Amino acid sequence: MLSKLFISAVVLAVCVAERKFPPGFKFGAATASYQVEGAWNVSDKSPSIWDTFAHENPEKIIDGSSGDVACDSYHLWETDVALAKDLGLHFYRFSISWSRLLPNGLANVVSEDGSRYYNNLIDGLLENGIEPVITLFHWDLPQKLQDLGGWTNPEIAIWFEDYARTAFELYGDRVKTWLTFNEPIIICDAAYEKGTIAPGIASPGIGNFICVKNLMLAHARAYRIYDKEFRPKYNGKVGLTNNHVWYEPNTPDDEENTELARDLAAIYAHPIYSKSGGWPPSVEEFIAKKSKEEGYPRSRLPSFTQEEIEFIRGTYDYYGLNYYTSRKVSSGVPTGSSISWPSSGSPEIGIVFSSDPSWTAGYAWLVSYPPGLRKQMNWLVKQYGDIEIQILENGYSTPEPIMYDTSRVKYYEDHLEQVLLAIQEDGINITAYTAWSLLDNYEWTSGYTSRFGIVSVDFTDPMRKRTPRASAYYYATVIKNHSLDFPKH
Ligand SMILES: *[C@@H]1O[C@H](CO)[C@@H](O)[C@H](O)[C@H]1NC(C)=O
Ligand SMILES: *[C@@H]1O[C@H](CO)[C@@H](O)[C@H](O)[C@H]1NC(C)=O
Ligand SMILES: *[C@@H]1O[C@H](CO)[C@@H](O)[C@H](O)[C@H]1NC(C)=O
């Protein structure tokens, strides 16, 4: 009887504990400078590549819009802090606009207005008990640096180091979590593929690989100066965040190509996180062989020196993961006029992507497959060992600005459930989860037609009125309870 009672108690305790997050697990929400700040030409700020791209190519933006005003967070940041506080967020992830802080792109002039803006935001968050998490680069490169070749000029690693040092000097005393880069796969692969996003240069198979090499070196430089000059005083963490689409084979015959697709997406991770460093061997071999067949005297994927491999390897304090969606992989040649990442396939490998009919769609490319998140994290741990994973973006978009957003609530609940399974059943050390996004914002080439906010923004209102959606109330309850189980009405 006693033992039976005991077993029931244990079973009950397990059931109750089941959907609870570990103590210390942090919840946050994210935005990015160009997508929310507006104020594109105030004070001494110089244009970024996104200012230029949106102004000069309105036909490449679905609604012809720009981020000139966006959510006007440059002026309304106090409202954003108040929203973050109401939601009970533990942290708020935002990015610095490089050309707002350093109008020349280079570090000889620091903008007083720019540095004051981020100081105010950081202090405002801290006063409300919210930890600031800063992304140094969320795609808005100073146009002046693009004019010098941008990510294809090797000097950019040094320009980035100087920019990073400026930010660490200004804010490192109060900011303990830093990301060098948001989604390098977009900065390099998507940007250079068809020229359909800023800086608008099509150089598939060439530009993307030069970009990733320089970006890896830029990341490592920023990490190393933090390690040497700032960690002793501030003891923070530096990493970057990668966007992974989980790939599954369409048939057993597609298994090899699928693993190659996962490896190809990991050219932004392997040099930093793997024990051996450098490019993933399968990718290095594949591109070298293909380049030779295509008549190139050397591989299109530039090599690292041994010294560079050592310099980049191990430059992380956590693994940042952005996850939204999954794809099935089959052989074939991707077609379509828009960027093929992540929708249509990889011309490099010769594969096309599709989605399973059971995966429900929100906005176009964003089909929901929650187990993909857990599978991706297991893949990462298998590759790189028992690393700390911070989920730095996850979220759902709809074309309509609906307030009672049940599909988004379901997306969050289903994905958070997978996070719990990964922690409890797979033993993965996930320490943070981030909703993308706090606000509806300027969704790049989708303009204002793709709504990611748990808080809606009225873009026709000069005051950019913010109104929390059902998903905001849901997320706040999860955070408050630290659990997915709570009384439902
Ligand atoms: C800034 O840009 C806006 C358009 O978004 C324009 O109306 C305004 O005149 C510009 N201000 C300055 C100082 O150039
Ligand atoms: C997870 O990672 C954090 C940060 O590195 C560490 O402090 C913690 O002990 C780890 N937890 C587990 C369960 O390994
Ligand atoms: C969970 O949150 C709801 C809504 O805020 C609240 O009523 C309930 O008491 C919370 N439960 C726990 C266990 O904290």
Side-chain angles (χ1 to χ4, degrees):
M1 184 63 200
L2 192 65
S3 67
K4 206 170 165 194
L5 254 180
F6 178 74
I7 288 166
S8 314
V10 168
V11 167
L12 192 67
V14 166
C15 290
V16 169
E18 222 166 44
R19 305 215 313 162
K20 234 184 145 34
F21 291 88
F25 186 92
K26 287 178 187 168
F27 291 96
T31 60
S33 45
Y34 186 69
Q35 295 181 275
V36 301
E37 284 178 2
W40 76 280
N41 59 357
V42 299
S43 182
D44 52 352
K45 179 182 174 295
S46 68
S48 77
I49 57 171
W50 269 95
D51 292 314
T52 307
F53 187 80
H55 291 157
E56 292 181 359
N57 307 280
E59 75 288 355
K60 293 187 177 176
I61 314 292
I62 289 181
D63 57 5
S65 64
S66 74
D68 285 0
V69 181
C71 305
D72 204 16
S73 288
Y74 181 78
H75 298 108
L76 301 174
W77 62 270
E78 282 167 292
T79 315
D80 298 343
V81 172
L83 281 167
K85 189 183 182 184
D86 286 346
L87 286 166
L89 299 186
H90 301 134
F91 65 90
Y92 176 52
R93 181 189 153 207
F94 61 93
S95 77
I96 294 179
S97 157
W98 186 339
S99 64
R100 191 185 295 289
L101 191 63
L102 302 179
N104 287 337
L106 305 178
N108 61 323
V109 176
V110 180
S111 163
E112 264 183 52
D113 280 335
S115 68
R116 188 185 312 116
Y117 171 65
Y118 296 110
N119 254 324
N120 287 342
L121 177 55
I122 290 164
D123 288 342
L125 289 165
L126 289 170
E127 279 158 22
N128 286 284
I130 305 157
E131 205 183 299
V133 169
I134 291 188
T135 314
L136 288 170
F137 188 81
H138 202 124
W139 311 355
D140 45 354
L141 186 71
Q143 181 61 45
K144 288 181 187 177
L145 300 184
Q146 184 60 48
D147 295 343
L148 301 175
W151 290 105
T152 59
N153 184 338
E155 288 298 309
I156 200 164
I158 295 169
W159 305 335
F160 185 75
E161 171 182 322
D162 293 343
Y163 163 52
R165 181 184 283 105
T166 306
F168 295 153
E169 274 168 357
L170 288 168
Y171 311 125
D173 57 338
R174 287 155 291 156
V175 176
K176 301 301 170 188
T177 305
W178 293 89
L179 291 76
T180 53
F181 293 101
N182 178 71
E183 300 182 357
I185 200 166
I186 304 293
I187 302 165
C188 299
D189 270 39
Y192 286 96
E193 188 176 17
K194 292 192 174 158
T196 49
I197 63 173
I201 297 168
S203 175
I206 307 286
N208 55 324
F209 288 144
I210 300 172
C211 172
V212 57
K213 178 180 175 181
N214 293 332
L215 189 144
M216 288 291 108
L217 287 163
H219 163 84
R221 278 178 172 271
Y223 183 91
R224 299 254 174 231
I225 59 158
Y226 187 87
D227 217 29
K228 189 160 164 249
E229 301 170 25
F230 300 93
R231 192 188 301 280
K233 302 185 268 203
Y234 300 142
N235 197 30
K237 288 187 175 190
V238 180
L240 83 176
T241 195
N242 277 309
N243 185 325
H244 289 276
V245 171
W246 173 248
Y247 298 121
E248 299 207 330
N250 201 27
T251 69
D253 286 347
D254 300 312
E255 182 55 60
E256 200 178 316
N257 274 343
T258 302
E259 192 59 15
L260 187 58
R262 293 175 192 143
D263 286 346
L264 184 59
I267 58 174
Y268 305 100
H270 198 277
I272 299 169
Y273 293 93
S274 69
K275 300 274 182 286
S276 52
W279 304 123
S282 64
V283 173
E284 197 162 34
E285 211 176 289
F286 179 78
I287 305 293
K289 184 162 168 277
K290 226 181 134 191
S291 303
K292 200 169 171 193
E293 286 163 9
E294 289 160 347
Y296 291 94
R298 54 180 57 82
S299 179
R300 288 187 277 103
L301 181 64
S303 57
F304 287 121
T305 63
Q306 195 55 39
E307 197 186 345
E308 287 170 334
I309 290 176
E310 294 309 322
F311 185 70
I312 298 166
R313 192 169 63 105
T315 53
Y316 68 89
D317 297 313
Y318 61 84
Y319 196 98
L321 170 64
N322 293 3
Y323 173 84
Y324 289 91
T325 190
S326 294
R327 289 290 183 277
K328 295 269 187 190
V329 170
S330 331
S331 298
V333 180
T335 52
S337 56
S338 67
I339 56 163
S340 68
W341 192 95
S343 296
S344 51
S346 165
E348 188 70 86
I349 300 178
I351 49 174
V352 290
F353 298 147
S354 57
S355 92
D356 192 276
S358 70
W359 302 350
T360 53
Y363 187 91
W365 60 271
L366 212 173
V367 290
S368 173
Y369 179 55
L373 172 57
R374 180 180 176 190
K375 291 178 184 181
Q376 183 65 52
M377 291 191 285
N378 274 281
W379 188 86
L380 290 169
V381 167
K382 200 171 130 214
Q383 300 293 314
Y384 309 130
D386 188 15
I387 41 176
E388 175 191 353
I389 295 181
Q390 298 200 15
I391 297 170
L392 290 170
E393 285 184 25
N394 179 232
Y396 196 66
S397 154
T398 60
E400 302 298 331
I402 40 171
M403 296 308 296
Y404 194 63
D405 53 341
T406 45
S407 59
R408 185 175 289 103
V409 170
K410 181 162 170 47
Y411 183 96
Y412 278 115
E413 179 169 16
D414 291 349
H415 284 76
L416 284 165
E417 199 162 55
Q418 295 295 318
V419 173
L420 277 175
L421 290 170
I423 294 172
Q424 293 166 355
E425 310 221 333
D426 310 333
I428 298 178
N429 190 1
I430 308 159
T431 57
Y433 176 88
T434 314
W436 181 275
S437 172
L438 177 65
L439 302 171
D440 281 345
N441 56 49
Y442 183 73
E443 182 53 24
W444 314 109
T445 54
S446 300
Y448 299 101
T449 69
S450 172
R451 305 284 184 143
F452 270 100
I454 55 176
V455 174
S456 80
V457 175
D458 181 356
F459 293 106
T460 63
D461 176 356
M463 289 313 296
R464 295 297 189 271
K465 188 172 170 9
R466 284 112 158 103
T467 313
R469 297 198 161 103
S471 55
Y473 292 101
Y474 171 76
Y475 194 45
T477 308
V478 170
I479 297 173
K480 200 164 159 199
N481 285 275
H482 213 66
S483 166
L484 292 183
D485 294 317
F486 43 82
K488 295 212 167 81
H489 352 261

